[in-house]
Amino acid sequence: MIHLRTDVIQLIIDHYGYTSYLEVGIANSENYNSIRCKNKVSVDPALGKFKHANPMFKMKSDEFFDRHAHEYQFDIIFIDGDHSKEQVKKDIANSLNVIDPKGTIVLHDMNPISEHHLKPTICNDGWEAFAELRKTRDDLNMFTYENDLGVGIIQKGSQELYEGEIKSGWEFFSQNRNKVMKLIEFDQITDNLV
């Protein structure tokens, strides 16, 4: 059975008994509506093909983190907005600043399955932001559920750093994804959590 991002998020919520959830980039709201958590917040500029999206905060994530995030204490944050490397870096940094110390950040599209998926309208190069932290932040616990285009997990903790170089593009990613992204299967998720 192939599990989806919703399954991963719900598994983590249930594992820790989390009660507060933020979703950055709700698209058609399917994932957001499926998540069972006491307090849920959503942010999305509701542009492009998902103009009908109805987030609690209709704005870009940078604006939300700057103006509103301090009003909340999030246990889990799901990032699935702008997939560019630079924006994913910002969303991770902003999330690390506001999440509970025992919280979890979850990111979608961290394991593109083909060169086609590196297009800006699909996964883009957001995986590179995750990979940079796998190389530089030994104070984080990071791994990626391999399916559903990759569901990355970040927690405060510790990790053995990836020591090789990181290059942009499909050739490097396709040959090094297992080590760079620390790919795991669904039934290994809870064993890899802090």
Side-chain angles (χ1 to χ4, degrees):
M1 174 181 180
I2 301 285
H3 294 276
L4 303 177
R5 68 208 85 154
T6 308
D7 302 315
V8 175
I9 296 164
Q10 196 64 57
L11 175 72
I12 295 170
I13 289 171
D14 295 344
H15 177 77
Y16 288 112
Y18 285 160
T19 59
S20 57
Y21 171 75
L22 168 64
E23 184 162 316
V24 176
I26 65 169
N28 62 8
S29 302
E30 185 177 338
N31 180 78
Y32 183 79
N33 292 339
S34 299
I35 295 297
R36 297 178 315 279
C37 193
K38 183 178 179 182
N39 302 303
K40 300 194 313 185
V41 175
S42 59
V43 59
D44 193 305
L47 303 170
K49 64 181 178 178
F50 297 112
K51 290 178 183 172
H52 62 280
N54 191 25
M56 289 177 64
F57 293 91
K58 194 170 186 176
M59 60 185 61
K60 292 186 176 184
S61 58
D62 291 347
E63 183 181 357
F64 171 79
F65 282 114
D66 186 49
R67 293 177 50 199
H68 300 287
H70 66 277
E71 300 166 14
Y72 301 90
Q73 180 70 58
F74 297 109
D75 294 320
I76 184 165
I77 298 174
F78 177 52
I79 300 171
D80 194 18
D82 181 329
H83 292 84
S84 68
K85 174 184 174 181
E86 291 309 313
Q87 188 59 50
V88 172
K89 281 172 74 169
K90 289 180 190 177
D91 285 341
I92 292 171
N94 285 327
S95 295
L96 285 169
N97 285 334
V98 301
I99 199 161
D100 184 274
K102 295 181 179 176
T104 304
I105 299 169
V106 181
L107 302 98
H108 191 230
D109 298 305
M110 295 293 108
N111 189 25
I113 57 174
S114 71
E115 188 169 14
H116 169 77
H117 286 83
L118 294 179
K119 289 184 175 185
T121 55
I122 309 175
C123 297
N124 204 346
D125 56 1
W127 68 270
E128 292 183 43
F130 188 93
E132 283 182 9
L133 297 179
R134 284 270 301 122
K135 186 173 173 65
T136 59
R137 294 285 301 268
D138 62 2
D139 62 326
L140 299 177
N141 175 48
M142 301 176 67
F143 57 91
T144 304
Y145 167 56
E146 62 187 352
N147 291 317
D148 192 21
L149 296 176
V151 182
I153 311 294
I154 302 175
Q155 300 176 301
K156 294 176 181 173
S158 64
Q159 68 178 334
E160 187 174 316
L161 295 177
Y162 171 75
E163 295 184 352
E165 64 179 329
I166 297 169
K167 296 180 182 177
S168 297
W170 177 250
E171 185 176 348
F172 171 82
F173 184 76
S174 64
Q175 294 173 5
N176 297 280
R177 71 172 81 216
N178 287 328
K179 286 185 179 179
V180 173
M181 305 307 286
K182 191 177 175 187
L183 296 181
I184 65 165
E185 297 175 7
F186 186 82
D187 62 4
Q188 298 173 305
I189 292 174
T190 55
D191 291 339
N192 281 275
L193 294 171
V194 172

